């Protein structure tokens, strides 16, 4: 009998075709936990995207489950303890979306530094005089602070340093020796990074240790002209504290691709905060990255179902370092 694979949401067709060659594939009706749980007792594998969650109840009610594939990097929506207890392998697509996410982060830096969101609005409002006030500043020669120096953080550093001549600082207690080769990147404490950076960009997984890593006190430690970019997980940054810091000029601007609640509630303060560029958790969703992720996760899921090793197994949270 062909193994049964449940997709929480559709994935790129190239990956789905690989799965359908060797498995029976079903797409869940929704990403709600109840909708996913309806399939638990008859699936051998689940591929989960950023929405939806596999909690302890799912693993308890899924006796055939062998592998969970995360179409993406962050695994905060998978109960890794429960997976380990039920001998379920968890895989993700670490590194496969790094270039797309890095380019998105740098695009946000450019948009904020050159005030493109405000210039766009000025043209639509026929306020041509705004051109003299909204020129912004160059990134070349500025200092970028990278929090989390995994594959995405290093890709951001490469674009910033090799393409723009930016000075690179980074903070990552799990840094791999030699990870900064060719980037002239300097390891520093988090406090020093926040104090000395013109742009701070966040690339860490969401764990109890990193929840609200950037809160009110650390925002106050940043330079008044500094920009903050978060393309990792929404709860790594205290969103309400960030909205307040933008409103009172503690920092100059922020670009967010991720939010504490997705989509944000209509009343979320960050939606009305000034000098922001907000995108709908889309940094990894280029055509190129979507194809790489779908093929990568499908290949690993099929490998585990066939009794083989995975290329990108997810370690237990106690050993997890930078977002990659």
């Amino acid at each position: 009998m062909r193994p049964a694979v449940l997709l929480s949401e559709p994935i790129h067709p190239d990956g789905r075709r690989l799965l359908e060659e060797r498995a029976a594939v079903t797409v869940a009706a929704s990403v709600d936990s109840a909708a996913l749980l309806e399939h638990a007792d008859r699936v051998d594998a689940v591929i989960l995207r950023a929405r939806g969650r596999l909690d302890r109840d799912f693993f308890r009610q899924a006796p055939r489950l062998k592998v969970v594939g995360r179409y993406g990097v962050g695994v905060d929506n998978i109960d890794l303890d429960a997976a380990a207890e039920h001998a379920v392998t968890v895989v993700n697509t670490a590194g496969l979306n790094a270039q797309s996410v890095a380019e998105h982060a740098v695009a946000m830096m450019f948009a904020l530094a050159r005030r493109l969101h405000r210039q766009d609005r000025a043209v639509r409002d026929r306020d041509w005089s705004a051109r003299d006030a909204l020129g912004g500043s160059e990134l070349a020669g500025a200092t970028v602070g990278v929090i989390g120096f995994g594959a995405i953080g290093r890709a951001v550093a490469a674009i910033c340093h090799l393409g723009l001549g930016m000075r690179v600082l980074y903070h990552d207690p799990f840094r791999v020796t030699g990870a900064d080769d060719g980037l002239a990147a300097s390891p520093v404490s988090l406090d020093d990074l926040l104090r000395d950076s013109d742009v701070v960009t966040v690339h860490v997984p969401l764990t109890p240790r990193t929840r609200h890593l950037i809160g009110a006190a650390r925002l106050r430690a940043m330079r008044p002209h500094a920009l903050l970019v978060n393309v990792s997980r929404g709860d790594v940054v205290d969103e309400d504290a960030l909205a307040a810091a933008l409103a009172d000029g503690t920092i100059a601007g922020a670009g967010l691709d991720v939010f504490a609640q997705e989509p944000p509630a209509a009343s979320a303060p960050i939606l009305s905060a000034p000098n922001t560029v907000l995108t709908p958790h889309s940094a990894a969703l280029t055509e190129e990255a979507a194809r790489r992720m779908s093929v990568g996760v499908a290949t690993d899921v099929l490998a585990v179902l066939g009794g083989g090793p995975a290329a990108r197994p997810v370690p237990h949270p106690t050993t997890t370092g930078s977002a990659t």
Side-chain angles (χ1 to χ4, degrees), residues 31-248:
V31 296
D32 292 341
S33 294
L36 297 178
L37 198 57
E38 290 180 2
H39 299 267
D41 64 347
R42 55 185 182 277
V43 295
D44 302 287
V46 177
I47 294 179
L48 191 67
R49 293 184 60 175
R51 300 189 302 155
R53 177 173 177 79
L54 295 187
D55 56 20
R56 184 169 294 275
D57 282 345
F58 188 95
F59 288 96
R60 187 182 297 119
Q61 297 183 47
R64 291 169 43 183
L65 188 64
K66 296 182 178 65
V67 57
V68 173
R70 174 67 171 88
Y71 184 93
V73 179
V75 290
D76 47 286
N77 56 346
I78 301 169
D79 189 327
L80 296 182
D81 288 332
E85 291 167 13
H86 290 82
V88 175
T89 300
V90 179
V91 302
N92 67 3
T93 57
L96 299 182
N97 61 8
Q99 186 63 30
S100 291
V101 177
E103 289 184 12
H104 194 98
V106 176
M108 283 185 152
M109 296 179 197
F110 275 116
L112 291 164
R114 296 305 306 270
R115 303 172 183 168
L116 298 186
H117 51 305
R118 296 173 63 187
Q119 293 198 48
D120 177 88
R121 176 51 56 194
V123 173
R124 296 176 192 279
D125 292 343
R126 302 184 61 78
D127 180 12
W128 204 253
S129 64
R131 64 193 292 266
D132 293 319
L134 297 179
S137 57
E138 295 181 352
L139 292 176
T143 297
V144 60
V146 183
I147 302 175
F149 216 56
I152 296 171
R154 294 196 302 273
V156 170
I159 296 170
C160 290
H161 178 67
L162 302 177
L164 294 165
M166 297 180 76
R167 175 190 178 213
V168 178
L169 306 178
Y170 70 89
H171 174 73
D172 189 338
F174 296 93
R175 182 183 71 89
V176 177
T177 301
D180 57 343
D181 287 352
L183 300 178
S186 301
V188 296
S189 69
L190 182 56
D191 289 342
D192 286 348
L193 182 149
L194 295 171
R195 183 193 65 216
D196 296 337
S197 297
D198 303 299
V199 182
V200 174
T201 181
V202 183
H203 306 283
V204 297
L206 177 61
T207 68
R209 182 177 177 179
T210 62
R211 187 177 298 275
H212 287 188
L213 179 70
I214 306 298
R218 284 178 167 148
L219 289 165
R220 288 194 297 271
M222 294 172 63
R223 297 176 171 185
H225 67 268
L227 307 173
L228 176 69
V229 172
N230 184 17
V231 293
S232 60
R233 282 294 180 270
D235 274 328
V236 173
V237 174
D238 183 336
E239 209 171 89
D240 291 345
L242 174 59
L246 291 165
D248 65 19

